[in-house]
Every structure is written in C-alpha cells, then in structure tokens.
Amino acid sequence: MASQSGRTYNDAIDALNSLQTPYAIVEARRKAGIRPDATSIAEMQVYLQRIGYKLSDIDRLNILHVAGTKGKGSTCAFAASILSQYQKSHGVPRKIGLFTSPHLIAVRERIRINGDPVSEDIFARYFFEVWDKLGEAEEREGPIVIDQRLGIPMPPRPVYARYLTLMSYHLYLQEGVDVSVYETGIGGEFDATNIVEHPLAIGISTLGIDHIFALGDAIEKIAWHKAGIMKTGSAAFTIEQVPEAAKILQDRAKEKGVSLKVLDVDPRLKGVNVRPDAVFQKKNASLGIALAETALQKVDPNFTPDPTKLSKEFVDGIEQVVWRGRCEVKVEGPIIWHVDGAHTVDSLKMATKWFAGECAKRSGPKVLIFNQQGREEAVHFLEGMISTLKAQGQGSFEHVVFCTNVTYAATGYKRDFVNHQYDPAAVKALTAQRAFAEKWSSLDPTAKVSVVPTIEDAINHVRELGKTSLGEGETIQALITGSLHLVGGALGILEGADAL
C-alpha cells in the first residue's frame, strides 16, 4: 500500500537502503581508526530536534532499555510478551512498543506494536514523514558540523540503523505507545538508542566478545560500552557476568549513582516451561521479568509484584513468547530443520549444544548450513561447533554447506536484505565461504563440504539429500545457524513468508 504521499513501503525500503554506509567507506573508517564516539549521540539529538521533538518527549514512551552480547533480544521478547499478556487481562499498557534488530525477513519487524510488526502503509507513512522533515530542516538550517575529527557536516539524514531508531521514536509517540522495549544495536554508550535520558529500567544480558572494532578486544572494554545505558534515577538489572565484566559494570554504576541489581535465576520460574530449557534462557527470562515488573509498577498503580510466585500473565508471557529465528524446529518431510541465529563463539556453541539435544531423540545424518559475512574472525568460530557436537555424544556433521546471505538464486537479495556494507567482490567470489570450507575440511576431513552462492541453493542442496535413501526411522537433522540474515532468509524460503 502507498502512504498518503503516494510513496510505498518498497519506496521506503529503497530510500532506507540508500542510507547504508558503502563498504569502501566502512573500510576507510576502519583503517583510519574512526569508531563511534560521543558525536554519535550529539548527532542523534540534532536529528531528533529537527523532526520536532525534545529529549524529554522520549520519556513518554516509558522505555525499558536492554544491552548485552548474548540474550538481549530474548530478554526484550520476554519483557514485551509479559506486558502483552498483562495488557490482555488488565487493559494496560495501552500500546506496547518493541524495537529490535536486525530483522529476519522484513525491515518493519524491527518496529512492533502489541507484538506485531507495523503494517507496510504505517511504516511508509512515518518513514517519509521523518524523511521529509529532515530534508526540510537541512534546507532551512543548513549543514552542521558535529564530528570535529573529520570536520565535515553531518549528513542530512542519519545512517540506516540510526534512521530506524529515530523513526521509531516518531512512530511510537504518534501512535500513543505508553511502554516500549528497546534493544541496543551495537554496544550502548554511543548507540543511537542511548539518547533516552530517563528509561524506566535498563537490563544488561550476558556479555562476551563481539564487534571488536567498535567496542574493543577485551571484555572490560565491551562491558564499559554496555554499561553506558545505565542512567541515574533508573532501575538497573543484570545477571551473573564473568568477574572482569562484573567489576566494570559495578564501577560504572557507582560513577552514575546507580544501584545495579545482579539477578540469579528467578526461583519463581520453577515449573514454568522456559524454551529452551537451559540456564542461559532462564537468566534471560529472569531479566525480562524484572524489567516488566518495573514497567507495570509505573503504568498500573494496582500492580504489586508477588515475591513468592508469578501471576498467570507472567507465566503465559514466558511460556508463549515468540522470538523467531531462535531455537526453532521445523519439519519438512524427511528433513527436520533446526534454526538458530548465533554470531559469537559462545552463542554458536550454545546453538550446537541445543541442536545436539534435539538430535539425541532422533537418528539420521546431520547437516550444517552456516554463514557469517564480513567478519574475518568467524573462521575461528567453527572449531567450537565441531567440539561441542562431539562432546554431546552426537558425532559430527556428515554434510556442511557454506553460503552467502544472498537470498535467491535467480533474483538475488529481497530488497529488505540488501546490504552495502559487505565487499561485493568478496560476496561474488565466495571468499569467506571458501575460507570456511578450507578450515572445516582441515578440522574434519571426513565431512562432505560444499560452497554455494545463495541461501536458496543451500536449502535445495539439503532437500536433495532428503531424496536419498535413508534408513528406517531416519530423518536428516539440519542446523541452520550463524548470521541472522542467513536465518531470516532461510525462514523466508522455508515458510514463503513476507514478515515474521
């Protein structure tokens, strides 16, 4: 559908894609050592003012702000799901916003209201309202130099992820959202979502090594960035961290005058069906519970947490949470697809352990589809998957398929998946995939390793394996993991869905 100006959702996505930073510029900034810093926040504040808002307006959204390396998306999903169940029986909050990244199939999945992605026409309408306001402000006020390192004016519109963050504030404020859950993009201190001054509460999930260029190569540096979302006067929660990270979080909390509460697994979860049934997910659920309780105490004067047991709304919120692309199982004839996005060494080990647990109930050959694009360190992620599967008594992957994040063999990327930040020559030449294949073959010479150009080719390759003779009662156990762009593209193909 078209927005009121006649511009469509597809027009909005094409315009949004024009705001991606091209690979050549990404590389130039990397080589020059230019990392996100305080100017990122200063620029976001200017953009917010240019679309007609003050920082204090964002406080009306009653934001629950979540950072972390692993589990931050799941934590956000738990919090939003609990609020949604409470809304069904109590009528409050009136509207719940959920802002996450990346998307799996459609960009509009990043901006949800009451659990659903905003519609294409709503997305297009607010997208172009922000687009036009920023263009008019640039013409009226002229260029502004914020980043003194380069001495060049800030662009008329922010880059891709920051634009969506800015647009989400506009959309949620106009649509009357009264509680919103925001997942940081990268880090925390200089993340676009961190212009909020008075969140209701913040949560920091498990920390690990990721986004080394932007955040640093040590857990202490990463913890410093994540701790940046803590704000004086706002409740703050985290879960058990490695000692080095825990110290930095507490040091920064003290600097900010914040009481950071470290949560154990909530004892009230006993008997609650948390999926997957693993300690890491129960920690995420515990964080989600604490955040939801804080929000409800603000928006519903009749709500009082029960320290001894969870109410039905909280139990239902946890048991019925929907967080696509994580620990999903889909049966397709002789193939059982296991889909789990994982982008760090630790999360890939967790994904493999979960897969091994599922395979323990069944017999048949194991197949892996994997990709991580544009991350040289990802070649070192593979060994952990091999050792984890073996340690769980599940042997090895008989077939391993490496592909790019390009969706379709004939038409290439769905427009929502277009990504200019990767080296197009490397994608075309399958450079990363060939490196993965070489590494895997050196680690497990018995595996049948394939390299294919698209996600569709990878899925078809496994489907062909499904046509071969299997023993009685056997099925092909296929794990799709790595990049969430891979996972999203795969789910789109497996389900024929337009959004999740």
Side-chain angles (χ1 to χ4, degrees):
M1 288 180 70
S3 66
Q4 288 173 321
S5 62
R7 290 170 289 186
T8 66
Y9 176 74
N10 285 345
D11 294 332
I13 301 307
D14 289 341
L16 179 65
N17 285 338
S18 76
L19 299 177
Q20 291 187 33
T21 308
Y23 170 75
I25 295 176
V26 171
E27 278 302 289
R29 292 176 70 91
R30 188 188 302 270
K31 285 172 183 169
I34 297 171
R35 295 171 172 80
D37 70 0
T39 59
S40 306
I41 298 297
E43 287 178 354
M44 278 298 291
Q45 290 170 347
V46 172
Y47 289 128
L48 185 73
Q49 172 262 316
R50 283 186 159 188
I51 64 168
Y53 297 105
K54 303 185 295 292
L55 280 173
S56 58
D57 291 328
I58 298 177
D59 294 340
R60 301 206 308 267
L61 296 177
N62 287 317
I63 288 175
L64 301 173
H65 200 189
V66 181
T69 309
K70 301 186 291 287
K72 60 178 176 159
S74 298
T75 297
C76 289
F78 279 125
S81 180
I82 291 166
L83 293 171
S84 177
Q85 292 294 332
Y86 192 87
Q87 178 197 54
K88 286 177 186 174
S89 54
H90 296 270
V92 291
R94 292 186 307 280
K95 288 188 178 180
I96 303 153
L98 176 61
F99 180 80
T100 58
S101 62
H103 56 278
L104 289 176
I105 293 181
V107 174
R108 59 193 178 89
E109 295 163 9
R110 296 178 183 228
I111 305 175
R112 295 175 182 265
I113 295 179
N114 293 340
D116 295 321
V118 295
S119 67
E120 291 190 355
D121 57 327
I122 289 284
F123 185 98
R125 182 173 123 211
Y126 288 113
F127 179 93
F128 284 114
E129 284 180 5
V130 171
W131 186 272
D132 293 343
K133 284 181 180 184
L134 290 174
E136 290 159 9
E138 180 79 3
E139 285 182 21
R140 186 174 63 248
E141 300 169 21
I144 299 174
V145 177
I146 299 282
D147 192 343
Q148 300 300 330
R149 294 171 299 180
L150 298 176
I152 57 175
M154 57 186 264
R157 299 176 180 91
V159 295
Y160 190 100
R162 292 187 206 171
Y163 188 96
L164 289 171
T165 305
L166 188 71
M167 174 189 156
S168 75
Y169 295 138
H170 174 55
L171 187 153
Y172 286 158
L173 285 165
Q174 293 301 311
E175 289 290 315
V177 165
D178 53 341
V179 175
S180 53
V181 184
Y182 270 76
E183 177 190 14
T184 57
I186 293 176
E189 179 75 29
F190 305 130
D191 188 71
T193 61
N194 204 32
I195 62 171
V196 58
E197 293 183 308
H198 304 105
L200 285 189
I202 71 95
I204 299 174
S205 66
T206 303
L207 300 182
I209 303 291
D210 196 20
H211 299 295
I212 289 169
F213 175 75
L215 305 181
D217 57 0
I219 193 74
E220 293 90 343
K221 294 176 183 175
I222 288 167
W224 184 90
H225 278 277
K226 307 289 185 183
I229 68 168
M230 289 190 275
K231 303 288 164 58
T232 306
S234 299
F237 305 98
T238 189
I239 51 182
E240 183 185 4
Q241 307 285 356
V242 296
E244 301 90 336
K247 182 182 184 306
I248 298 295
L249 294 182
Q250 290 296 351
D251 286 350
R252 291 214 71 191
K254 193 174 178 182
E255 287 168 18
K256 293 166 175 276
V258 169
S259 174
L260 176 61
K261 186 171 183 184
V262 182
L263 305 173
D264 294 320
V265 170
D266 194 318
R268 295 174 294 175
L269 284 170
K270 187 175 182 184
V272 177
N273 181 23
V274 179
R275 294 168 290 120
D277 182 15
V279 172
F280 77 86
Q281 193 72 323
K282 289 175 182 175
K283 288 179 178 178
N284 296 333
S286 301
L287 204 48
I289 290 166
L291 293 168
E293 285 181 338
T294 306
L296 291 173
Q297 284 174 292
K298 168 75 186 292
V299 299
D300 184 359
N302 297 316
F303 174 78
T304 305
D306 184 338
T308 61
K309 70 177 192 302
L310 295 173
S311 68
K312 184 177 187 303
E313 295 91 350
F314 276 69
V315 172
D316 288 348
I318 291 158
E319 293 190 339
Q320 296 175 30
V321 68
V322 176
W323 192 230
R324 299 301 309 271
R326 281 76 168 183
C327 299
E328 289 199 47
V329 180
K330 307 185 74 59
V331 179
E332 183 187 81
I335 304 168
I336 301 180
W337 299 100
H338 304 76
V339 186
D340 191 17
H343 59 96
T344 68
V345 174
D346 292 337
S347 56
L348 280 163
K349 286 178 182 175
M350 283 184 182
T352 308
K353 188 175 179 181
W354 164 73
F355 172 70
E358 292 291 319
C359 291
K361 313 165 194 170
R362 310 183 188 99
S363 61
K366 297 176 187 66
V367 183
L368 172 68
I369 297 177
F370 177 84
N371 190 40
Q372 274 285 4
Q373 200 70 40
R375 297 179 64 186
E376 291 176 9
E377 71 271 22
V379 75
H380 303 300
F381 295 176
L382 306 178
E383 191 167 358
M385 299 172 69
I386 292 173
S387 61
T388 300
L389 193 63
K390 200 166 287 183
Q392 296 297 311
Q394 287 301 315
S396 58
F397 290 100
E398 284 92 323
H399 298 269
V400 181
V401 187
F402 297 109
C403 63
T404 69
N405 290 339
V406 177
T407 325
Y408 302 109
T411 55
Y413 290 106
K414 181 176 184 282
R415 62 171 23 92
D416 295 70
F417 289 152
V418 169
N419 195 324
H420 299 311
Q421 294 187 306
Y422 301 142
D423 182 356
V427 173
K428 192 172 182 181
L430 305 173
T431 305
Q433 291 69 35
R434 294 187 198 286
F436 293 148
E438 186 179 336
K439 180 71 172 179
W440 195 283
S441 295
S442 72
L443 295 168
D444 182 4
T446 64
K448 297 181 179 68
V449 180
S450 306
V451 171
V452 297
T454 70
I455 300 169
E456 185 178 32
D457 288 320
I459 286 173
N460 287 339
H461 182 88
V462 178
R463 283 171 170 166
E464 286 301 313
L465 293 174
K467 295 175 184 175
T468 59
S469 57
L470 292 166
E472 191 175 339
E474 285 192 335
T475 50
I476 287 178
Q477 316 300 313
L479 172 62
I480 303 174
T481 191
S483 164
L484 280 170
H485 299 290
L486 163 65
V487 162
L491 285 172
I493 291 166
L494 292 172
E495 298 185 11
D498 185 54
L500 294 176

